[in-house]
Amino acid sequence: QVQLQESGPGLVKPSETLSLTCIVSRHSISGPYYWGWIRQPPGKGLEWIGSIYHTGNTYYSPSLRSRLTISVDTSNNEFSLKLSSVTAADTAIYFCARDSSDGTDYYPDYWGQGTLVTVSS
Amino acid sequence: SYELTQPPSVSVSPGQTARITCSGDALPKKYSYWYQQKSGQAPVLLIFEDTKRPSGIPERFSASSSGTMATLTISGAQVEDEADYYCYSTDSNILHRVFGGGTRLTVL
């Protein structure tokens, strides 16, 4: 079954850009799925960030859209997240996930283990 | 922005039935999904498209959806079912994909 693994710095300074990559294995990223990011501040609930199709089509959370870029690299079977101008409020566990379709909408079905990113000077 | 509302906590004794609700204005037209997250782990998909169970999910987990409310039912809850449970759905605008605030289930 599909496996996802997040990678990237665990510490980012305020006002800088948070960058993470999700490596997908045992599954082609070019299949009929979206690939997404979800985050979870310590001790809090889940927040959907955004998703991307292998063609590059994206959906972003309205609350993060102005700072967010999600991209896909089909040759390396991975996708990435960039969140600019970070503050302490962006400190969270970041999960990547595969999004399956119910015919009209998408939902995460397989998740990576998550990676903690702390925003601090 | 669209919101899904869950109770913060539910508590049952082992063997009892636990019910966790999720309310949202778009649920009459949109599917609901349920995730289980145990401490320190990634969420796991429990229920998709309102009522369907992925392979490997025990039969004691079931769900329903009626009107603006979806309900996750755990029949004969076990101590190992202690976890946070999240509902998920979208509103009429696919841009608004949201999780509920989560419900902590205690089985003791």
Side-chain angles (χ1 to χ4, degrees):
Chain A
Q1 65 185 34
V2 58
Q3 292 186 341
L4 303 101
Q5 178 66 58
E6 305 88 352
S7 66
L11 181 64
V12 180
K13 290 182 168 55
S15 79
E16 295 189 345
T17 296
L18 181 160
S19 297
L20 294 173
T21 296
C22 182
I23 299 169
V24 180
S25 56
R26 300 185 180 184
H27 194 288
S28 172
I29 205 168
S30 297
Y33 299 94
Y34 271 75
W35 303 91
W37 292 96
I38 299 108
R39 70 180 182 178
Q40 184 172 37
K44 297 188 178 180
L46 300 169
E47 178 185 15
W48 178 73
I49 297 173
S51 298
I52 190 165
Y53 200 62
H54 64 86
T55 57
N57 190 46
T58 54
Y59 291 105
Y60 291 164
S61 167
S63 65
L64 297 172
R65 181 181 294 127
S66 64
R67 300 191 291 129
L68 181 63
T69 301
I70 298 177
S71 58
V72 64
D73 181 350
T74 54
S75 60
N76 288 312
N77 221 46
E78 62 186 37
F79 61 105
S80 298
L81 163 77
K82 291 187 186 298
L83 186 65
S84 64
S85 305
V86 297
T87 69
D90 295 308
T91 293
I93 298 171
Y94 285 77
F95 297 97
C96 61
R98 187 184 79 170
D99 288 350
S100 284
S101 174
D102 60 20
T104 55
D105 295 323
Y106 288 84
Y107 62 97
D109 58 354
Y110 287 95
W111 299 59
Q113 65 184 22
T115 188
L116 175 63
V117 179
T118 301
V119 178
S120 174
S121 56
Chain B
S1 63
Y2 185 52
E3 293 185 355
L4 295 171
T5 302
Q6 299 181 233
S9 63
V10 168
S11 182
V12 297
S13 299
Q16 288 188 330
T17 296
R19 293 182 178 85
I20 299 172
T21 58
C22 171
S23 64
D25 290 341
L27 289 180
K29 296 183 178 180
K30 293 292 186 178
Y31 283 126
S32 57
Y33 301 82
W34 291 93
Y35 296 86
Q36 178 193 64
Q37 185 181 33
K38 294 185 177 181
S39 181
Q41 298 182 19
V44 172
L45 180 66
L46 275 184
I47 299 288
F48 66 102
E49 296 178 12
D50 288 345
T51 61
K52 300 176 182 178
R53 249 188 344 267
S55 60
I57 300 300
E59 291 184 4
R60 64 179 182 275
F61 293 96
S62 64
S64 62
S65 186
S66 178
T68 60
M69 186 167 288
T71 303
L72 174 70
T73 300
I74 307 171
S75 303
Q78 302 180 6
V79 174
E80 68 200 55
D81 298 331
E82 280 204 342
D84 294 324
Y85 291 84
Y86 294 90
C87 61
Y88 166 93
S89 188
T90 61
D91 75 352
S92 55
N93 180 348
I94 195 174
L95 293 177
H96 293 167
R97 303 166 68 183
V98 297
F99 290 91
T103 299
R104 176 149 297 178
L105 175 66
T106 302
V107 183
L108 52 74

CSV table of all heavy atoms in Angstrom, one decimal, chain A residues 2-8 20-25 29 34-40 46-52 70-71 77-81 93-99 107-116, chain B residues 35 42-43 99:
chain,number,residue,atom,x,y,z
A,2,VAL,N,0.3,2.4,-0.3
A,2,VAL,CA,1.0,3.6,-0.5
A,2,VAL,C,1.6,4.0,0.9
A,2,VAL,O,1.1,3.8,1.9
A,2,VAL,CB,0.1,4.7,-0.9
A,2,VAL,CG1,-1.1,4.9,0.0
A,2,VAL,CG2,0.8,6.0,-1.1
A,3,GLN,N,2.8,4.5,0.8
A,3,GLN,CA,3.5,5.0,2.0
A,3,GLN,C,3.9,6.5,1.7
A,3,GLN,O,4.3,6.8,0.6
A,3,GLN,CB,4.8,4.2,2.3
A,3,GLN,CG,4.4,2.8,2.8
A,3,GLN,CD,5.6,2.0,3.2
A,3,GLN,OE1,6.7,2.3,2.9
A,3,GLN,NE2,5.3,0.9,4.0
A,4,LEU,N,3.8,7.3,2.7
A,4,LEU,CA,4.2,8.7,2.6
A,4,LEU,C,5.1,9.1,3.8
A,4,LEU,O,4.9,8.6,4.9
A,4,LEU,CB,2.9,9.6,2.7
A,4,LEU,CG,1.9,9.3,1.6
A,4,LEU,CD1,0.7,8.5,2.2
A,4,LEU,CD2,1.3,10.6,1.1
A,5,GLN,N,6.1,9.9,3.5
A,5,GLN,CA,7.1,10.3,4.5
A,5,GLN,C,7.4,11.8,4.3
A,5,GLN,O,7.9,12.2,3.3
A,5,GLN,CB,8.4,9.4,4.3
A,5,GLN,CG,9.5,9.8,5.3
A,5,GLN,CD,9.1,9.5,6.7
A,5,GLN,OE1,8.8,8.4,7.1
A,5,GLN,NE2,9.1,10.5,7.6
A,6,GLU,N,7.2,12.5,5.4
A,6,GLU,CA,7.5,13.9,5.4
A,6,GLU,C,9.0,14.2,5.7
A,6,GLU,O,9.6,13.4,6.5
A,6,GLU,CB,6.7,14.7,6.4
A,6,GLU,CG,5.2,14.5,6.3
A,6,GLU,CD,4.6,13.3,7.0
A,6,GLU,OE1,5.5,12.5,7.5
A,6,GLU,OE2,3.4,13.1,7.1
A,7,SER,N,9.6,15.2,5.1
A,7,SER,CA,10.9,15.5,5.4
A,7,SER,C,11.1,17.0,5.4
A,7,SER,O,10.4,17.7,4.6
A,7,SER,CB,11.9,14.9,4.5
A,7,SER,OG,11.8,15.3,3.2
A,8,GLY,N,12.0,17.6,6.2
A,8,GLY,CA,12.3,19.0,6.2
A,8,GLY,C,12.8,19.5,7.5
A,8,GLY,O,12.8,18.7,8.5
A,20,LEU,N,8.6,21.8,3.4
A,20,LEU,CA,8.5,20.4,3.6
A,20,LEU,C,8.3,19.7,2.3
A,20,LEU,O,7.7,20.2,1.4
A,20,LEU,CB,7.4,20.1,4.6
A,20,LEU,CG,7.5,20.6,6.0
A,20,LEU,CD1,6.2,20.3,6.8
A,20,LEU,CD2,8.6,20.0,6.7
A,21,THR,N,8.8,18.4,2.3
A,21,THR,CA,8.6,17.6,1.1
A,21,THR,C,8.0,16.3,1.6
A,21,THR,O,8.3,15.8,2.7
A,21,THR,CB,9.9,17.3,0.4
A,21,THR,OG1,10.4,18.5,-0.1
A,21,THR,CG2,9.8,16.3,-0.7
A,22,CYS,N,7.1,15.7,0.8
A,22,CYS,CA,6.5,14.4,1.1
A,22,CYS,C,6.9,13.4,0.0
A,22,CYS,O,6.6,13.7,-1.2
A,22,CYS,CB,5.0,14.5,1.2
A,22,CYS,SG,4.1,13.0,1.6
A,23,ILE,N,7.6,12.4,0.4
A,23,ILE,CA,8.0,11.4,-0.6
A,23,ILE,C,7.0,10.3,-0.6
A,23,ILE,O,6.7,9.7,0.5
A,23,ILE,CB,9.4,10.8,-0.2
A,23,ILE,CG1,10.5,12.0,-0.2
A,23,ILE,CG2,9.9,9.7,-1.2
A,23,ILE,CD1,11.8,11.6,0.4
A,24,VAL,N,6.5,10.0,-1.8
A,24,VAL,CA,5.5,8.9,-1.9
A,24,VAL,C,6.2,7.7,-2.4
A,24,VAL,O,6.9,7.7,-3.4
A,24,VAL,CB,4.4,9.4,-2.9
A,24,VAL,CG1,3.3,8.3,-3.0
A,24,VAL,CG2,3.7,10.7,-2.4
A,25,SER,N,5.9,6.6,-1.8
A,25,SER,CA,6.5,5.3,-2.3
A,25,SER,C,5.4,4.2,-2.4
A,25,SER,O,4.3,4.4,-1.8
A,25,SER,CB,7.6,4.8,-1.3
A,25,SER,OG,7.1,4.7,0.0
A,29,ILE,N,2.6,8.9,-8.0
A,29,ILE,CA,1.9,10.2,-7.7
A,29,ILE,C,1.1,10.7,-8.9
A,29,ILE,O,0.3,11.6,-8.7
A,29,ILE,CB,3.0,11.2,-7.3
A,29,ILE,CG1,2.4,12.3,-6.4
A,29,ILE,CG2,3.6,11.9,-8.5
A,29,ILE,CD1,3.4,13.2,-5.7
A,34,TYR,N,-5.5,13.3,-5.4
A,34,TYR,CA,-4.9,14.5,-5.0
A,34,TYR,C,-3.9,14.1,-3.9
A,34,TYR,O,-4.0,13.0,-3.3
A,34,TYR,CB,-5.9,15.5,-4.5
A,34,TYR,CG,-6.4,16.4,-5.6
A,34,TYR,CD1,-7.3,16.0,-6.5
A,34,TYR,CD2,-6.0,17.7,-5.7
A,34,TYR,CE1,-7.8,16.8,-7.5
A,34,TYR,CE2,-6.4,18.6,-6.7
A,34,TYR,CZ,-7.4,18.1,-7.6
A,34,TYR,OH,-7.8,18.9,-8.6
A,35,TRP,N,-3.0,15.0,-3.6
A,35,TRP,CA,-2.0,14.8,-2.5
A,35,TRP,C,-2.0,16.0,-1.7
A,35,TRP,O,-1.9,17.2,-2.2
A,35,TRP,CB,-0.6,14.5,-3.2
A,35,TRP,CG,-0.7,13.4,-4.1
A,35,TRP,CD1,-0.9,13.4,-5.4
A,35,TRP,CD2,-0.5,12.0,-3.7
A,35,TRP,NE1,-1.0,12.1,-5.9
A,35,TRP,CE2,-0.7,11.2,-4.9
A,35,TRP,CE3,-0.2,11.3,-2.5
A,35,TRP,CZ2,-0.6,9.8,-4.9
A,35,TRP,CZ3,-0.1,9.9,-2.5
A,35,TRP,CH2,-0.3,9.2,-3.7
A,36,GLY,N,-2.1,15.9,-0.4
A,36,GLY,CA,-2.4,17.0,0.5
A,36,GLY,C,-1.6,17.1,1.7
A,36,GLY,O,-0.8,16.2,2.1
A,37,TRP,N,-1.8,18.3,2.4
A,37,TRP,CA,-1.1,18.6,3.6
A,37,TRP,C,-2.1,18.9,4.7
A,37,TRP,O,-3.1,19.7,4.4
A,37,TRP,CB,-0.1,19.8,3.5
A,37,TRP,CG,1.1,19.4,2.6
A,37,TRP,CD1,1.2,19.7,1.3
A,37,TRP,CD2,2.3,18.8,3.0
A,37,TRP,NE1,2.4,19.2,0.8
A,37,TRP,CE2,3.1,18.7,1.9
A,37,TRP,CE3,2.7,18.3,4.3
A,37,TRP,CZ2,4.4,18.2,2.0
A,37,TRP,CZ3,4.0,17.8,4.3
A,37,TRP,CH2,4.8,17.7,3.2
A,38,ILE,N,-1.9,18.5,5.9
A,38,ILE,CA,-2.8,18.8,7.0
A,38,ILE,C,-1.8,19.0,8.2
A,38,ILE,O,-0.8,18.5,8.3
A,38,ILE,CB,-3.7,17.5,7.4
A,38,ILE,CG1,-4.6,17.2,6.2
A,38,ILE,CG2,-4.5,17.8,8.7
A,38,ILE,CD1,-4.3,15.9,5.5
A,39,ARG,N,-2.2,20.0,9.1
A,39,ARG,CA,-1.4,20.2,10.2
A,39,ARG,C,-2.1,20.2,11.5
A,39,ARG,O,-3.4,20.2,11.5
A,39,ARG,CB,-0.7,21.6,10.1
A,39,ARG,CG,-1.6,22.8,10.2
A,39,ARG,CD,-0.7,24.1,10.0
A,39,ARG,NE,-1.6,25.3,10.2
A,39,ARG,CZ,-1.1,26.5,10.1
A,39,ARG,NH1,0.2,26.7,9.9
A,39,ARG,NH2,-1.9,27.5,10.3
A,40,GLN,N,-1.4,20.0,12.6
A,40,GLN,CA,-2.0,19.9,13.9
A,40,GLN,C,-1.1,20.6,15.0
A,40,GLN,O,0.0,20.1,15.4
A,40,GLN,CB,-2.1,18.4,14.3
A,40,GLN,CG,-2.8,18.2,15.6
A,40,GLN,CD,-3.1,16.7,15.8
A,40,GLN,OE1,-2.4,15.8,15.5
A,40,GLN,NE2,-4.3,16.4,16.4
A,46,LEU,N,-7.0,19.1,14.0
A,46,LEU,CA,-6.5,19.0,12.7
A,46,LEU,C,-6.9,20.2,11.8
A,46,LEU,O,-8.1,20.6,11.9
A,46,LEU,CB,-6.9,17.7,12.0
A,46,LEU,CG,-6.5,16.4,12.7
A,46,LEU,CD1,-7.2,15.2,12.1
A,46,LEU,CD2,-5.0,16.2,12.6
A,47,GLU,N,-6.1,20.7,11.0
A,47,GLU,CA,-6.4,21.7,10.1
A,47,GLU,C,-5.9,21.4,8.7
A,47,GLU,O,-4.8,21.1,8.4
A,47,GLU,CB,-5.7,23.1,10.5
A,47,GLU,CG,-6.0,24.2,9.5
A,47,GLU,CD,-5.2,25.5,9.9
A,47,GLU,OE1,-4.3,25.4,10.6
A,47,GLU,OE2,-5.6,26.5,9.3
A,48,TRP,N,-6.9,21.4,7.7
A,48,TRP,CA,-6.6,21.1,6.3
A,48,TRP,C,-5.8,22.3,5.7
A,48,TRP,O,-6.3,23.4,5.9
A,48,TRP,CB,-7.8,20.8,5.5
A,48,TRP,CG,-7.6,20.6,4.1
A,48,TRP,CD1,-7.0,19.5,3.5
A,48,TRP,CD2,-7.9,21.4,3.0
A,48,TRP,NE1,-6.9,19.6,2.1
A,48,TRP,CE2,-7.4,20.8,1.8
A,48,TRP,CE3,-8.4,22.7,2.9
A,48,TRP,CZ2,-7.6,21.4,0.5
A,48,TRP,CZ3,-8.6,23.3,1.7
A,48,TRP,CH2,-8.2,22.7,0.5
A,49,ILE,N,-4.7,22.0,5.1
A,49,ILE,CA,-3.9,23.1,4.5
A,49,ILE,C,-4.2,23.3,3.0
A,49,ILE,O,-4.4,24.4,2.5
A,49,ILE,CB,-2.4,22.8,4.7
A,49,ILE,CG1,-2.1,22.8,6.2
A,49,ILE,CG2,-1.5,23.8,4.0
A,49,ILE,CD1,-0.6,22.4,6.5
A,50,GLY,N,-4.0,22.2,2.2
A,50,GLY,CA,-4.2,22.3,0.8
A,50,GLY,C,-3.9,20.9,0.1
A,50,GLY,O,-3.3,20.0,0.7
A,51,SER,N,-4.2,20.9,-1.2
A,51,SER,CA,-3.9,19.6,-1.9
A,51,SER,C,-3.5,20.0,-3.4
A,51,SER,O,-3.8,21.1,-3.9
A,51,SER,CB,-5.2,18.8,-2.0
A,51,SER,OG,-5.6,18.3,-0.7
A,52,ILE,N,-2.9,19.0,-4.0
A,52,ILE,CA,-2.4,19.2,-5.4
A,52,ILE,C,-2.6,17.9,-6.2
A,52,ILE,O,-2.5,16.8,-5.7
A,52,ILE,CB,-0.9,19.6,-5.4
A,52,ILE,CG1,-0.5,20.1,-6.8
A,52,ILE,CG2,0.0,18.5,-4.9
A,52,ILE,CD1,0.8,20.9,-6.9
A,70,ILE,N,2.0,24.9,-2.9
A,70,ILE,CA,2.1,23.5,-2.9
A,70,ILE,C,2.5,23.1,-4.3
A,70,ILE,O,1.9,23.6,-5.3
A,70,ILE,CB,0.9,22.7,-2.5
A,70,ILE,CG1,0.5,23.0,-1.0
A,70,ILE,CG2,1.0,21.2,-2.6
A,70,ILE,CD1,-0.8,22.4,-0.5
A,71,SER,N,3.5,22.3,-4.5
A,71,SER,CA,4.0,21.9,-5.8
A,71,SER,C,4.2,20.4,-5.9
A,71,SER,O,4.3,19.7,-4.8
A,71,SER,CB,5.3,22.6,-6.1
A,71,SER,OG,6.3,22.3,-5.1
A,77,ASN,N,8.4,11.6,-7.7
A,77,ASN,CA,7.3,11.0,-7.0
A,77,ASN,C,7.2,11.7,-5.6
A,77,ASN,O,7.0,11.0,-4.6
A,77,ASN,CB,7.4,9.5,-6.8
A,77,ASN,CG,6.1,8.8,-7.0
A,77,ASN,OD1,5.3,9.1,-7.9
A,77,ASN,ND2,5.7,7.9,-6.1
A,78,GLU,N,7.2,13.0,-5.6
A,78,GLU,CA,7.1,13.7,-4.3
A,78,GLU,C,6.3,15.0,-4.5
A,78,GLU,O,6.2,15.5,-5.7
A,78,GLU,CB,8.5,14.0,-3.7
A,78,GLU,CG,9.3,14.9,-4.6
A,78,GLU,CD,10.8,15.0,-4.0
A,78,GLU,OE1,11.3,14.0,-3.5
A,78,GLU,OE2,11.3,16.1,-4.2
A,79,PHE,N,5.8,15.6,-3.4
A,79,PHE,CA,5.2,16.9,-3.5
A,79,PHE,C,5.7,17.7,-2.3
A,79,PHE,O,6.1,17.2,-1.3
A,79,PHE,CB,3.7,16.8,-3.6
A,79,PHE,CG,3.0,16.1,-2.4
A,79,PHE,CD1,2.3,16.8,-1.5
A,79,PHE,CD2,3.0,14.7,-2.4
A,79,PHE,CE1,1.6,16.2,-0.5
A,79,PHE,CE2,2.3,14.1,-1.3
A,79,PHE,CZ,1.7,14.8,-0.4
A,80,SER,N,5.5,19.0,-2.4
A,80,SER,CA,6.1,19.9,-1.4
A,80,SER,C,5.2,21.0,-1.0
A,80,SER,O,4.2,21.4,-1.6
A,80,SER,CB,7.4,20.5,-2.0
A,80,SER,OG,8.4,19.5,-2.3
A,81,LEU,N,5.5,21.5,0.2
A,81,LEU,CA,4.8,22.6,0.8
A,81,LEU,C,5.7,23.7,1.2
A,81,LEU,O,6.8,23.5,1.7
A,81,LEU,CB,4.1,22.1,2.1
A,81,LEU,CG,3.7,23.1,3.2
A,81,LEU,CD1,2.3,23.7,2.7
A,81,LEU,CD2,3.5,22.5,4.5
A,93,ILE,N,2.5,19.8,14.0
A,93,ILE,CA,2.9,18.6,13.3
A,93,ILE,C,2.3,18.7,11.9
A,93,ILE,O,1.1,19.0,11.8
A,93,ILE,CB,2.4,17.4,14.0
A,93,ILE,CG1,3.0,17.3,15.4
A,93,ILE,CG2,2.7,16.1,13.2
A,93,ILE,CD1,2.4,16.2,16.3
A,94,TYR,N,3.1,18.6,10.9
A,94,TYR,CA,2.6,18.6,9.5
A,94,TYR,C,2.5,17.2,9.0
A,94,TYR,O,3.5,16.5,9.0
A,94,TYR,CB,3.5,19.5,8.7
A,94,TYR,CG,3.3,21.0,9.0
A,94,TYR,CD1,3.9,21.6,10.1
A,94,TYR,CD2,2.6,21.8,8.1
A,94,TYR,CE1,3.7,22.9,10.4
A,94,TYR,CE2,2.4,23.2,8.4
A,94,TYR,CZ,2.9,23.7,9.6
A,94,TYR,OH,2.7,25.0,9.8
A,95,PHE,N,1.4,16.8,8.5
A,95,PHE,CA,1.1,15.5,7.9
A,95,PHE,C,0.9,15.7,6.4
A,95,PHE,O,0.3,16.6,5.9
A,95,PHE,CB,-0.1,14.9,8.4
A,95,PHE,CG,-0.1,14.6,9.9
A,95,PHE,CD1,-0.7,15.5,10.8
A,95,PHE,CD2,0.4,13.4,10.4
A,95,PHE,CE1,-0.8,15.2,12.1
A,95,PHE,CE2,0.4,13.1,11.7
A,95,PHE,CZ,-0.2,14.0,12.6
A,96,CYS,N,1.5,14.8,5.6
A,96,CYS,CA,1.1,14.7,4.2
A,96,CYS,C,0.2,13.5,4.1
A,96,CYS,O,0.2,12.6,4.9
A,96,CYS,CB,2.3,14.6,3.3
A,96,CYS,SG,3.4,13.2,3.5
A,97,ALA,N,-0.7,13.5,3.0
A,97,ALA,CA,-1.7,12.5,2.9
A,97,ALA,C,-2.1,12.3,1.4
A,97,ALA,O,-1.9,13.3,0.6
A,97,ALA,CB,-2.9,12.8,3.7
A,98,ARG,N,-2.6,11.2,1.1
A,98,ARG,CA,-3.2,10.9,-0.2
A,98,ARG,C,-4.7,11.2,-0.1
A,98,ARG,O,-5.3,10.8,0.9
A,98,ARG,CB,-3.0,9.5,-0.7
A,98,ARG,CG,-3.5,9.2,-2.1
A,98,ARG,CD,-3.4,7.8,-2.5
A,98,ARG,NE,-4.5,7.0,-1.9
A,98,ARG,CZ,-4.8,5.8,-2.3
A,98,ARG,NH1,-4.0,5.1,-3.1
A,98,ARG,NH2,-5.8,5.1,-1.7
A,99,ASP,N,-5.2,12.0,-1.1
A,99,ASP,CA,-6.6,12.3,-1.1
A,99,ASP,C,-7.4,11.4,-2.1
A,99,ASP,O,-7.1,11.5,-3.3
A,99,ASP,CB,-6.8,13.8,-1.5
A,99,ASP,CG,-6.4,14.7,-0.3
A,99,ASP,OD1,-6.2,14.2,0.8
A,99,ASP,OD2,-6.4,15.9,-0.6
A,107,TYR,N,-11.0,13.3,0.2
A,107,TYR,CA,-10.7,13.1,1.6
A,107,TYR,C,-9.4,12.3,1.7
A,107,TYR,O,-9.0,11.5,0.9
A,107,TYR,CB,-11.9,12.2,2.2
A,107,TYR,CG,-12.0,10.9,1.6
A,107,TYR,CD1,-11.5,9.8,2.3
A,107,TYR,CD2,-12.7,10.7,0.4
A,107,TYR,CE1,-11.6,8.5,1.7
A,107,TYR,CE2,-12.9,9.4,-0.1
A,107,TYR,CZ,-12.3,8.3,0.5
A,107,TYR,OH,-12.5,7.1,0.0
A,108,PRO,N,-8.6,12.6,2.8
A,108,PRO,CA,-7.4,11.9,3.0
A,108,PRO,C,-7.6,10.5,3.5
A,108,PRO,O,-8.4,10.3,4.4
A,108,PRO,CB,-6.7,12.8,4.1
A,108,PRO,CG,-7.7,13.8,4.6
A,108,PRO,CD,-8.9,13.7,3.8
A,109,ASP,N,-7.0,9.5,2.8
A,109,ASP,CA,-7.2,8.2,3.2
A,109,ASP,C,-5.9,7.5,3.7
A,109,ASP,O,-5.9,6.8,4.7
A,109,ASP,CB,-7.8,7.3,2.1
A,109,ASP,CG,-7.0,7.3,0.8
A,109,ASP,OD1,-6.0,8.0,0.7
A,109,ASP,OD2,-7.4,6.5,-0.1
A,110,TYR,N,-4.7,7.9,3.2
A,110,TYR,CA,-3.5,7.4,3.7
A,110,TYR,C,-2.6,8.6,4.2
A,110,TYR,O,-2.6,9.6,3.4
A,110,TYR,CB,-2.7,6.6,2.7
A,110,TYR,CG,-3.3,5.2,2.5
A,110,TYR,CD1,-4.2,5.0,1.4
A,110,TYR,CD2,-3.0,4.2,3.3
A,110,TYR,CE1,-4.7,3.8,1.2
A,110,TYR,CE2,-3.5,2.9,3.1
A,110,TYR,CZ,-4.4,2.7,2.1
A,110,TYR,OH,-5.0,1.5,1.9
A,111,TRP,N,-2.0,8.5,5.3
A,111,TRP,CA,-1.3,9.6,5.9
A,111,TRP,C,0.2,9.2,6.2
A,111,TRP,O,0.5,8.1,6.5
A,111,TRP,CB,-1.9,10.0,7.3
A,111,TRP,CG,-3.3,10.4,7.3
A,111,TRP,CD1,-4.4,9.7,6.8
A,111,TRP,CD2,-3.8,11.6,7.8
A,111,TRP,NE1,-5.6,10.5,7.0
A,111,TRP,CE2,-5.2,11.7,7.6
A,111,TRP,CE3,-3.2,12.8,8.4
A,111,TRP,CZ2,-6.0,12.7,8.0
A,111,TRP,CZ3,-4.0,13.8,8.8
A,111,TRP,CH2,-5.4,13.8,8.6
A,112,GLY,N,1.0,10.2,6.1
A,112,GLY,CA,2.4,10.1,6.6
A,112,GLY,C,2.4,10.1,8.1
A,112,GLY,O,1.3,10.4,8.8
A,113,GLN,N,3.5,9.9,8.7
A,113,GLN,CA,3.6,9.8,10.2
A,113,GLN,C,3.6,11.2,10.8
A,113,GLN,O,3.4,11.3,12.0
A,113,GLN,CB,4.9,9.1,10.6
A,113,GLN,CG,6.2,9.7,10.2
A,113,GLN,CD,7.4,8.9,10.6
A,113,GLN,OE1,7.3,7.7,10.8
A,113,GLN,NE2,8.5,9.5,10.7
A,114,GLY,N,3.9,12.2,10.0
A,114,GLY,CA,3.9,13.6,10.5
A,114,GLY,C,5.3,14.0,10.9
A,114,GLY,O,6.1,13.2,11.4
A,115,THR,N,5.5,15.3,10.8
A,115,THR,CA,6.8,15.9,11.3
A,115,THR,C,6.5,17.2,12.0
A,115,THR,O,5.7,18.0,11.6
A,115,THR,CB,7.7,16.1,10.1
A,115,THR,OG1,9.0,16.5,10.6
A,115,THR,CG2,7.2,17.2,9.1
A,116,LEU,N,7.2,17.4,13.2
A,116,LEU,CA,7.0,18.5,14.0
A,116,LEU,C,7.8,19.7,13.4
A,116,LEU,O,9.1,19.5,13.3
A,116,LEU,CB,7.3,18.3,15.4
A,116,LEU,CG,7.3,19.5,16.4
A,116,LEU,CD1,5.8,20.1,16.5
A,116,LEU,CD2,7.8,19.1,17.8
B,35,TYR,N,-12.1,9.9,11.5
B,35,TYR,CA,-10.7,9.5,11.7
B,35,TYR,C,-10.5,9.3,13.2
B,35,TYR,O,-11.1,10.0,14.0
B,35,TYR,CB,-9.8,10.6,11.2
B,35,TYR,CG,-9.8,10.9,9.7
B,35,TYR,CD1,-10.8,11.8,9.2
B,35,TYR,CD2,-9.0,10.2,8.8
B,35,TYR,CE1,-10.9,12.0,7.8
B,35,TYR,CE2,-9.1,10.4,7.5
B,35,TYR,CZ,-10.0,11.3,7.0
B,35,TYR,OH,-10.1,11.5,5.7
B,42,ALA,N,-0.4,9.2,13.7
B,42,ALA,CA,-1.2,9.9,12.6
B,42,ALA,C,-2.6,9.4,12.6
B,42,ALA,O,-2.9,8.3,13.1
B,42,ALA,CB,-0.5,9.5,11.2
B,43,PRO,N,-3.5,10.2,12.2
B,43,PRO,CA,-4.9,9.8,12.1
B,43,PRO,C,-5.1,8.6,11.1
B,43,PRO,O,-4.3,8.4,10.2
B,43,PRO,CB,-5.6,11.0,11.5
B,43,PRO,CG,-4.8,12.2,11.9
B,43,PRO,CD,-3.4,11.6,11.8
B,99,PHE,N,-12.0,19.9,9.1
B,99,PHE,CA,-12.1,18.9,10.2
B,99,PHE,C,-13.0,19.4,11.3
B,99,PHE,O,-12.9,20.7,11.6
B,99,PHE,CB,-10.8,18.5,10.7
B,99,PHE,CG,-9.9,17.7,9.8
B,99,PHE,CD1,-9.1,18.3,8.9
B,99,PHE,CD2,-10.0,16.3,9.7
B,99,PHE,CE1,-8.3,17.6,8.0
B,99,PHE,CE2,-9.2,15.6,8.8
B,99,PHE,CZ,-8.4,16.2,8.0
